[in-house]
């Protein structure tokens, strides 16, 4: 009973001897979804959203990239580093046992021990095991572990954000490749049509029905069409190189990337408004939340540093003068006890650390709030771009339809002698230009949808990284 009374009296003395915690509170708070005008709907996007394009080669390229892109490998390496830090912090809560042994030859002073040991030279043997256990009564080590676990979760979410960015980059590049292939076809049709026009002008020039100016103009138009074809081929090759690099491969993959089979006319479905779960489905925003949690635990750790640190320690081993006595009963030795560390006066270091940890929490919150506002604007801009692009594409489709009808009628008039071949050629030029624009708008429509999918977090499952975090958390 006396021991319990003494321990109860010791606790307030320990707390009284600690440095006082400064009254410093965070100045910011994370923005709430309710204040952002999000709808009550959710974003239903398939985890493998790119399969909606119906192109097996695109599926294969994204799978390859997610398995071997250097940027993704770097992000995954950061995850492994963070997980190792969690494990290292968790070790501080467990008992520690260390062993040591030593054999030496020494001369023993006769003033230290009486003869015959004193004044002699003998072998000294020492072997012991040391036990230590930080009890962490006030949670400083637990806060450090929770901070490391939150940082590890942020790293995992960063890796998921990298996966999303990578899949989006490949899909956009692949759509660009499909556009380049279609533009090559249009450019080839341009070249053929303008070559036909040049031959017609040359015939008229021989019959004195056209001037040298008309001839030079027709030759220039042929050169422009051939230049457009050359540029389209160059763009196609550059996009092939980009796709190979995104999948983590080099020149050996160029010949293996074939013409896309996806249709520029087919567009994947996307939400019609900003979903309510926008903040909970973007991995970059969830990573920001995890960093806020890490900063909160860092602040808790800095606060716990003002409180005592209590640990247990014990030592057991053998020591003897002369190795022949080393394994005898008299060579055994042991000790044990408790140690208390009191932060009585630290020259302001603990207060500075606590203020810094509080400021770090404000910094994490400010960074998260900025990312949230940027994400909402990005998603809203993407929605607007999708709507405007769809309207623009519909108008261009009507233009192309009208020009195709014009070309058909001009061809009928030419065959019946009611129109000239120059009129038919001119309307053909305008149709090809309109079809070029149509291809660009079709590709842009797909690209804008891909951008919206990215802004909404793609098919990311927010529960996956959190489940993984709980599985590796030493507290679970």
């Amino acid at each position: 009973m006396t021991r319990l009374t003494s321990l109860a009296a010791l606790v307030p003395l320990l707390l009284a001897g600690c440095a006082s915690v400064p009254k410093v509170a965070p100045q910011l708070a994370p923005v709430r979804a309710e204040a952002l005008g999000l709808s009550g709907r959710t974003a239903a996007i398939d985890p493998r959203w790119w399969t909606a394009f119906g192109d097996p080669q695109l599926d294969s390229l994204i799978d390859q990239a997610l398995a071997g892109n250097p940027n993704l490998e770097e992000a995954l390496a950061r995850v492994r580093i963070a997980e190792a830090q969690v494990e290292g912090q968790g070790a501080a809560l467990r008992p520690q046992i260390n062993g040591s042994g030593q054999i030496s030859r020494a001369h023993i002073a006769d003033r230290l021990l009486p003869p015959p040991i004193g004044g002699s030279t003998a072998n000294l043997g020492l072997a012991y095991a040391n036990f230590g256990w930080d009890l962490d009564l006030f949670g400083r080590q637990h806060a450090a572990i929770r901070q490391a676990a939150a940082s590890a979760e942020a790293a995992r979410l960063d890796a998921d954000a990298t996966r999303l960015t990578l899949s989006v980059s490949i899909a956009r590049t692949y759509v660009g490749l499909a556009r380049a292939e279609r533009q090559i076809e249009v450019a080839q049709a341009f070249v053929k049509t303008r070559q036909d026009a040049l031959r017609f002008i040359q015939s008229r020039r021989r019959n004195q029905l056209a001037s040298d100016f008309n001839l030079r103009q027709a030759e220039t138009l042929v050169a422009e069409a051939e230049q457009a074809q050359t540029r389209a081929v160059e763009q196609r090759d550059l996009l092939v190189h980009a796709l190979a690099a995104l999948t983590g491969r080099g020149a050996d993959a160029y010949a293996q990337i074939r013409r896309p089979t996806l249709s520029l006319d087919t567009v994947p479905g996307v939400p019609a408004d900003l979903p309510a779960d926008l903040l909970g489905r973007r991995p970059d925003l969830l990573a920001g939340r995890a960093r806020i949690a890490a900063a909160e635990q860092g602040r808790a750790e800095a606060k716990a540093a003002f409180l005592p640190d209590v640990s247990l320690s014990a030592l057991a081993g053998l020591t003897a003068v002369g190795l022949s006595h080393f394994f005898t009963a008299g060579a055994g030795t042991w000790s044990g006890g408790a140690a208390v560390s009191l932060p009585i006066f630290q020259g302001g270091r603990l207060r500075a650390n606590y203020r810094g940890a509080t400021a770090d929490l404000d910094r994490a919150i400010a960074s998260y709030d900025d990312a949230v506002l940027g994400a909402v604007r990005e998603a809203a801009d993407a929605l607007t771009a999708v709507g405007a692009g769809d309207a623009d594409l519909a108008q261009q489709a009507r233009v192309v339809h009208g020009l195709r009808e014009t070309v058909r009628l001009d061809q009928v008039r030419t065959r019946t002698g009611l129109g000239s071949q120059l009129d038919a050629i001119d309307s053909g030029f305008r149709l090809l230009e309109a079809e070029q624009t149509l291809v660009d708008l079709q590709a842009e429509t797909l690209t804008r949808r891909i951008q919206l999918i990215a802004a909404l977090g793609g098919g990311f499952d927010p529960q996956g990284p959190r489940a993984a975090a709980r599985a590796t958390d030493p507290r679970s």
Side-chain angles (χ1 to χ4, degrees), residues 130 170 218 223 229 287 385 465 467:
N130 186 32
I170 292 178
Q229 181 179 354

Side-chain angles (χ1 to χ4, degrees), residues 188-200 218-226 228 425 429 432-433:
Q188 289 172 341
F190 253 117
V191 170
K192 182 180 183 304
T193 301
R194 289 184 172 178
Q195 286 175 342
D196 291 342
L198 175 59
R199 285 192 290 270
F200 180 70
E219 291 172 344
T220 301
L221 291 175
V222 171
E224 288 178 348
E226 291 174 342
I425 291 173
F429 287 161
L432 288 172
E433 289 174 348

Side-chain angles (χ1 to χ4, degrees), residues 217-308:
Q217 187 180 44
E219 291 172 344
T220 301
L221 291 175
V222 171
E224 288 178 348
E226 291 174 342
Q227 183 183 50
Q229 181 179 354
T230 300
R231 289 176 176 175
V233 171
E234 177 191 16
Q235 183 66 16
R236 190 257 326 265
D237 293 343
L238 291 176
L239 290 169
V240 167
H241 302 167
L243 284 171
L246 286 170
T247 58
R249 300 184 63 184
D252 61 312
Y254 296 166
Q256 300 176 18
I257 298 178
R258 303 176 304 277
R259 177 191 176 91
T261 60
L262 68 84
S263 173
L264 295 180
D265 301 329
T266 304
V267 294
V270 293
D273 50 15
L274 294 180
D277 60 348
L278 172 63
L279 305 189
R281 60 176 294 108
R282 282 187 49 144
D284 57 335
L285 299 184
L286 291 175
R289 289 187 190 178
R291 290 189 172 90
I292 291 177
E296 289 174 339
Q297 295 305 318
R299 185 169 180 263
E301 180 185 6
K303 183 177 182 179
F306 288 87
L307 300 174

Side-chain angles (χ1 to χ4, degrees), residues 331-342:
T333 181
W334 63 270
S335 66
V340 178
S341 175
L342 297 175

Side-chain angles (χ1 to χ4, degrees), residues 136-184:
D136 194 36
L137 295 181
F138 299 99
R140 183 172 61 87
Q141 291 295 343
H142 281 83
I145 293 173
R146 288 190 290 268
Q147 181 183 25
S151 296
E153 183 179 4
R156 283 187 286 269
L157 289 163
D158 285 339
D160 284 301
T162 301
R163 289 188 181 94
L164 175 59
T165 300
L166 186 58
S167 62
V168 167
S169 296
I170 292 178
R172 293 182 63 178
T173 304
Y174 198 76
V175 170
L177 179 61
R179 169 166 47 184
E181 293 284 8
R182 288 282 298 276
Q183 291 291 19
I184 289 174

Side-chain angles (χ1 to χ4, degrees), residues 2 34 57 105 109 143 150 153 155 158 222 257 314 463:
T2 304
E34 294 80 2
Q57 181 174 235
R105 186 154 181 89
E153 183 179 4
D158 285 339
V222 171
I257 298 178
Q463 296 303 318

